[in-house]
Amino acid sequence: MNSLNQIILEGNVSRQPELRQSATGTNVCVIPIAVNRSYKNVKGESVEEVSFFDVTSFGKTAEVCSKYATIGRHVRVVGRLKQDRWKNLEGKSQSKINIIAEHVELLNLPRKQSEGAFSRTSGKPAGAGYGADEQTLVATNAAACEQQDIEDTVGEEIPAF
């Protein structure tokens, strides 16, 4: 039985996403996002905190993200954490936690950019700052894929990875 492994992040693209191909020819896109958090410290002062994360997407979703996830674009990512482990040149064990995207929403997408074959949500999505002339582009992974064993699954409306 699988344990629960899910993460939801919402933030802004902080650098241009990097699109590359894996050794098997699968598209891989790393989307760097900044996530803001506000809280009050013990003195009652407001504190702003920013965390930076790299989110990895695959297949058709990687293509969509590399094209539409421009710097400053607001994104919502639903994914999972994946721990990679290896030994460095000195034989010491190393590890890194990666965020693997299973669902990516590119918010505040102007209509002129969103024309095409991808699923869009028109109107006024929940949340502040969205206008009726903006749309949301959604890219979803139909099944969670391991980085080493990726298969593209193509949906009717939504590009999948």
Side-chain angles (χ1 to χ4, degrees), residues 27 108 113-114 119 123:
N27 287 322
N108 289 340
Q113 281 187 304
S114 65
S119 174

Side-chain angles (χ1 to χ4, degrees), residues 74-93:
H74 193 75
V75 297
R76 182 178 302 127
V77 176
V78 177
R80 62 184 169 85
L81 300 176
K82 181 176 183 291
Q83 183 179 25
D84 289 331
R85 297 181 188 111
W86 70 94
K87 293 205 185 273
N88 65 14
L89 296 174
E90 293 127 16
K92 186 176 178 183
S93 294

Side-chain angles (χ1 to χ4, degrees), residues 7-14 32-38 48-55 74-77 99:
I7 185 168
I8 301 171
L9 295 171
E10 195 169 307
N12 296 308
V13 178
S14 59
I33 64 171
V35 177
N36 298 310
R37 176 178 178 248
S38 300
E48 296 290 325
E49 177 181 275
V50 180
S51 297
F52 296 90
F53 301 100
D54 286 338
V55 176
H74 193 75
V75 297
R76 182 178 302 127
V77 176
I99 298 170

